[in-house]
Amino acid sequence: RVQLAESGGGSVQSGGSLRLSCAASGFSVNGNCLAWFRQAPGKEREGVASVDPYGIIRYTDSAKGRFTISQDSAKNTLYLQMNNLAPEDTATYTCGALRGDCPRDWSDGSDMDYWGKGTLVTISS
């Protein structure tokens, strides 16, 4: 059984940092597509960052320059380091996983095979 468990969310002030974790079980973070998504209240889910089986990383515009996606093979865990956070980053952040390569349109999340339950990030001004 595949499980993805996010952690690391919380409440911080604008300009602060958080590191999110997504621990995978029953699924290897190596050799597959892993990605972070977020959904703010009243808004659609959006992709944040992805890493493909070849280590190629992609960020959406909202994350470029501020967020860093990484993975630890030994811990079978995906991370998202978020710096210089702003109130508009407030959302539930969820990791998604897909066996094999990331599709070109990975950021809408429609192709993901597995999802975690999410972790809430709240940024105050």
Side-chain angles (χ1 to χ4, degrees):
R1 178 185 172 190
V2 175
Q3 287 188 302
L4 302 174
E6 301 93 341
S7 61
S11 298
V12 298
Q13 290 189 327
S14 182
S17 299
L18 284 172
R19 188 176 81 152
L20 307 183
S21 300
C22 172
S25 58
F27 184 93
S28 176
V29 299
N30 282 331
N32 292 298
C33 175
L34 279 296
W36 284 100
F37 299 82
R38 69 184 185 183
Q39 186 166 18
K43 295 187 177 181
E44 292 188 354
R45 180 181 61 207
E46 63 172 346
V48 175
S50 68
V51 54
D52 77 7
Y54 312 101
I56 295 174
I57 290 172
R58 296 180 175 90
Y59 296 101
T60 56
D61 288 345
S62 62
K64 286 179 182 176
R66 299 188 301 130
F67 295 180
T68 303
I69 189 172
S70 63
Q71 58 192 57
D72 184 327
S73 300
K75 296 182 178 179
N76 207 33
T77 298
L78 181 73
Y79 299 100
L80 185 68
Q81 176 67 43
M82 305 187 296
N83 298 326
N84 194 22
L85 287 161
E88 52 265 35
D89 295 316
T90 294
T92 296
Y93 286 71
T94 306
C95 61
L98 168 67
R99 294 194 185 279
D101 204 354
C102 295
R104 185 169 295 276
D105 58 351
W106 65 271
S107 63
D108 68 9
S110 61
D111 291 305
M112 293 294 149
D113 292 326
Y114 308 104
W115 293 94
K117 294 183 178 180
T119 184
L120 179 62
V121 171
T122 304
I123 312 301
S124 58
S125 58

